Amino acid sequence: MNKLKLVFIICIAAVTGCYYDKEDLLYPAGNCDTSSSSYSSVVQPALQTYGCIGCHSGSAPSGNISLSTYENVRTYVQNGKLYGSITHTSGFVAMPQGGNKMSTCDVNKIKAWIDAGALND
Ligand code: HEC
């Protein structure tokens, strides 16, 4: 009887041990709400939060790239560099430089805004 219990426990351990619970990977969209991504509610605040504006604004912005206005940001949306840099895609310089990559949720929200036409909303 005890042997049977042991076998049972080992079986459970074997099954649950292989259970893969990385939420991001299992549910790429997760509980990240990308349905109301606008420039003013999502993109601009994210550029502030991740320090992008700190380097990419003023009279001598880093890399000579200013992200301080919608028109400036749109330029880098259209040439693909904004998305390439925040997703650390090869061929682009990974951003934020020297900082942590944006969260998957924030990247997805920005992608939703780009896919909807990158409007000044
Ligand atoms: C510490 C300063 C700093 C921060 C913070 C920073 N950048 Fe940059 N960024 C740079 C510099 C410097 C370059 C030019 C790098 C080069 O050309 O090698 C650059 C380049 C870029 C480019 C051009 C990339 C390319 O492939 O040509 C984009 C787009 C960009 N940054 C966007 C961002 C965004 C979006 C953020 C925030 C998530 C950010 N940066 C945060 C300094 C910074």
Side-chain angles (χ1 to χ4, degrees):
M1 186 60 189
N2 273 338
K3 236 182 192 168
L4 212 67
K5 270 187 191 161
L6 194 67
V7 168
F8 183 66
I9 289 166
I10 289 169
C11 286
I12 295 290
V15 169
T16 57
C18 291
Y19 179 63
Y20 197 59
D21 65 351
K22 295 247 183 277
E23 193 187 286
D24 283 27
L25 297 172
L26 281 173
Y27 311 106
N31 46 15
C32 175
D33 182 9
T34 59
S35 66
S36 55
S37 289
S38 71
Y39 180 72
S40 57
S41 72
V42 167
V43 182
Q44 224 272 332
L47 296 178
Q48 282 287 353
T49 304
Y50 290 92
C52 319
I53 300 297
C55 288
H56 294 290
S57 66
S59 54
S62 293
N64 206 21
I65 292 166
S66 175
L67 297 175
S68 59
T69 66
Y70 165 75
E71 281 74 20
N72 292 149
V73 172
R74 189 180 56 186
T75 303
Y76 295 97
V77 167
Q78 287 171 345
N79 67 17
K81 289 188 174 183
L82 183 84
Y83 192 66
S85 67
I86 62 171
T87 49
H88 295 190
T89 301
S90 73
F92 298 95
V93 184
M95 290 291 140
Q97 196 178 68
N100 291 329
K101 191 177 176 182
M102 280 188 174
S103 73
T104 306
C105 182
D106 286 334
V107 169
N108 288 341
K109 285 179 177 177
I110 292 174
K111 184 177 190 304
W113 171 75
I114 293 173
D115 290 348
L119 304 175
N120 188 5
D121 51 5

